[in-house]
Amino acid sequence: MDNTLAPPTRKVVLGIQEPSDFDAPELPTEPLPLNMGPSHPAMHGTVRMVLEVEGEKISSADVQIGYLHRCFEKESEYATWTQIFPYTDRLNYISPMLNNVGYAMAVEKLMGIAALIPERAQYIRVIVGEISRMTDHMTCLGASAMELGAFTPFLYMLKAREWLFELLEEVCGARLTVSYLRIGGCAWDLPVGFADKLRNILDRTKDVLVDVSKLLDRNRIFRDRLDGIGIITQADCLQYGITGPVGRSTGLAYDVRKDAPYLVYDRFDFDVPVGSLGDNFDRYAVRVEEIKQSMRILEQALDQIPAGPYVINDPRIILPPKSETYNSIEAMIAHFKIIMDGIHVPAGEVYSYSEAGNGELGFYLVSDGTGRPWKCRVRPPCFASTSILPKLLEGLFIADIVPTFGLINMIGGECDR
């Protein structure tokens, strides 16, 4: 009798059939092209992946960006230096304040007025920036957990994020499209009672992080989906230019706030969390710890922030108050000149960089002495992280795309700038 088609034998241990003991025959497979995106619930932004799979294993991945067409860099050449702030909000739209900070610092460096920015304005920039960093990480972690089936941590993270969004709305009038910073400082001061509200939110957020940690850190399903999956090495980070939480997950302790301090970051005591393996779980753990470090910075900033002006006192740079604009011909003309003609930034070029939610955010500006940039080039942090995905996904399973892509945290507005 021919037994070649008989089912594979299996061992039974304590009444449980062990899948690892199956003596299953190797079945032939052939490459299959598979398309994911650009409209796909697992795609964080409009990105397309053209996969070649053999069974469930990925043999190659072609990751294609360019479906969003933000056109930030070209649009900036037709706007005045001040009018570009709303455009920066749409780069990383989950932490827009950090984009505002990076762009304002770049223009001020080109103008040679960085040392003249009032101390209070620098503290305000740190405070709103670190709040934005927290909302960025909360969105990434909550969405990544939800995509693995952990819906409760997603709701917890978004609950805490809402507290911070509502506070930022009190500061600038908007949740996402903030446009709060200005060349020379901030649009206006922090609202009355801001410090007490922020301290209360930080206390409640600490409880949320404890709850999320209990739900995820030792969760067997969550750990099996993240541990040892999507490993990036330090050599890969240096080769691809990867920074931020993805780079730090490999043990690369590079943080612009520490290695090239700007604003008043050198006055704060905080740590740079790093991983050891560079896998998906390290990227999760680094972001959780960075939220805690941001809270440390915020608590110190609230204790240290001085009184004083929130913007530089220079009518050639700063718009006059609206009350004066409506009632004074001089103020109206000044307002008109800054809006329509623009601040006349001295001719030259500069590169300025800061630590955004995904890593080093750089602005390369070229001025020809007019009120509009001749060139406004952005170095988006998640572009480098997204670039390694073809190498990273090769050899993984289709199901591994979801947590790996989620914890890389690709932002469409940054990549398709």
Side-chain angles (χ1 to χ4, degrees):
M1 179 179 177
D2 186 6
N3 292 323
T4 56
L5 299 179
T9 58
R10 63 186 69 175
K11 298 179 182 178
V12 178
V13 181
L14 297 178
I16 301 175
Q17 296 176 349
E18 297 292 332
S20 59
D21 291 333
F22 284 12
D23 187 17
E26 286 289 334
L27 298 177
T29 61
E30 61 181 28
L32 172 71
L34 185 65
N35 187 73
M36 287 186 67
S39 297
H40 191 284
M43 300 290 102
H44 294 210
T46 47
V47 58
R48 180 186 182 216
M49 293 187 187
V50 181
L51 308 173
E52 188 175 88
V53 297
E54 296 186 17
E56 287 287 319
K57 186 169 287 188
I58 301 167
S59 53
S60 69
D62 180 16
V63 181
Q64 302 173 0
I65 64 171
Y67 288 86
L68 190 57
H69 302 298
R70 277 281 297 108
C71 302
F72 168 85
E73 296 177 350
K74 202 63 183 175
E75 289 284 352
S76 297
E77 297 175 16
Y78 296 91
T80 64
W81 296 94
T82 304
Q83 289 172 331
I84 292 174
F85 277 103
Y87 296 161
T88 66
D89 294 337
R90 277 82 172 173
L91 289 172
N92 186 340
Y93 29 73
I94 307 301
S95 51
M97 286 290 191
L98 291 169
N99 306 330
N100 278 197
V101 170
Y103 173 72
M105 287 172 50
V107 180
E108 290 157 4
K109 185 177 180 180
L110 185 56
M111 296 179 68
I113 62 171
L116 303 178
I117 307 304
E119 193 175 31
R120 181 173 180 83
Q122 296 188 50
Y123 273 93
I124 292 175
R125 289 179 176 186
V126 168
I127 290 171
V128 296
E130 292 305 316
I131 292 175
S132 271
R133 193 183 315 279
M134 292 173 63
T135 61
D136 192 299
H137 290 343
M138 287 173 177
T139 305
C140 173
L141 296 175
S144 297
M146 178 189 64
E147 288 164 352
L148 297 180
F151 193 60
T152 302
F154 170 72
L155 296 177
Y156 283 3
M157 282 294 192
L158 259 63
K159 173 179 67 175
R161 191 191 73 168
E162 283 301 302
W163 299 334
L164 296 170
F165 272 172
E166 289 170 2
L167 187 61
L168 288 179
E169 190 174 11
E170 290 187 27
V171 174
C172 63
R175 291 157 49 89
L176 289 179
T177 51
V178 291
S179 304
Y180 174 58
L181 265 61
R182 295 291 185 270
I183 299 166
C186 308
W188 43 78
D189 207 347
L190 296 175
V192 176
F194 175 87
D196 292 336
K197 290 181 180 179
L198 179 54
R199 285 192 174 97
N200 178 264
I201 290 173
L202 294 181
D203 289 339
R204 287 184 284 160
T205 301
K206 291 174 184 176
D207 295 335
V208 169
L209 292 180
V210 171
D211 291 338
V212 171
S213 177
K214 290 178 179 178
L215 288 167
L216 295 181
D217 288 3
R218 297 177 182 274
N219 185 295
R220 188 69 270 159
I221 298 174
F222 187 74
R223 293 299 296 266
D224 284 347
R225 297 294 301 276
L226 300 186
D227 284 345
I229 306 297
I231 295 176
I232 302 175
T233 65
Q234 285 193 31
D236 290 334
C237 290
L238 296 174
Q239 182 179 2
Y240 282 84
I242 297 173
T243 57
V246 178
R248 289 189 283 273
S249 70
T250 68
L252 189 65
Y254 172 71
D255 190 312
V256 180
R257 297 171 296 174
K258 280 282 190 181
D259 294 283
Y262 56 95
L263 298 177
V264 288
Y265 276 108
D266 56 345
R267 305 182 187 182
F268 304 129
D269 178 28
F270 66 99
D271 300 318
V272 178
V274 295
S276 56
L277 189 58
D279 62 354
N280 284 333
F281 185 79
D282 273 351
R283 290 190 276 279
Y284 157 81
V286 164
R287 284 191 171 90
V288 170
E289 188 59 33
E290 285 194 10
I291 294 175
K292 298 176 183 177
Q293 297 303 318
S294 289
M295 289 194 285
R296 285 181 64 188
I297 293 172
L298 287 170
E299 289 168 348
Q300 295 173 70
L302 292 176
D303 292 337
Q304 298 177 17
I305 186 170
Y310 56 87
V311 71
I312 193 172
N313 185 20
D314 190 335
R316 298 170 300 174
I317 300 172
I318 295 301
L319 292 171
K322 277 299 179 89
S323 58
E324 294 183 17
T325 303
Y326 293 139
N327 295 283
S328 164
I329 186 63
E330 292 83 8
M332 185 189 72
I333 293 173
H335 184 279
F336 180 85
K337 290 290 288 182
I338 291 177
I339 292 299
M340 301 305 296
D341 199 24
I343 301 168
H344 282 236
V345 175
E349 59 182 347
V350 72
Y351 178 75
S352 177
Y353 55 107
S354 59
E355 186 69 29
N358 280 322
E360 181 183 318
L361 171 66
F363 285 92
Y364 171 68
L365 304 178
V366 181
S367 172
D368 56 3
T370 64
R372 290 168 173 79
W374 187 83
K375 181 66 177 176
C376 181
R377 173 76 166 83
V378 185
R379 192 271 182 198
C382 77
F383 180 77
S385 304
T386 305
S387 300
I388 200 175
L389 278 171
K391 177 180 179 181
L392 195 61
L393 296 178
E394 187 176 340
L396 299 182
F397 291 97
I398 294 175
D400 294 328
I401 294 177
V402 173
T404 303
F405 186 70
L407 289 165
I408 287 290
N409 198 29
M410 178 267 189
I411 304 293
E414 275 189 1
C415 285
D416 296 347
R417 64 212 177 281

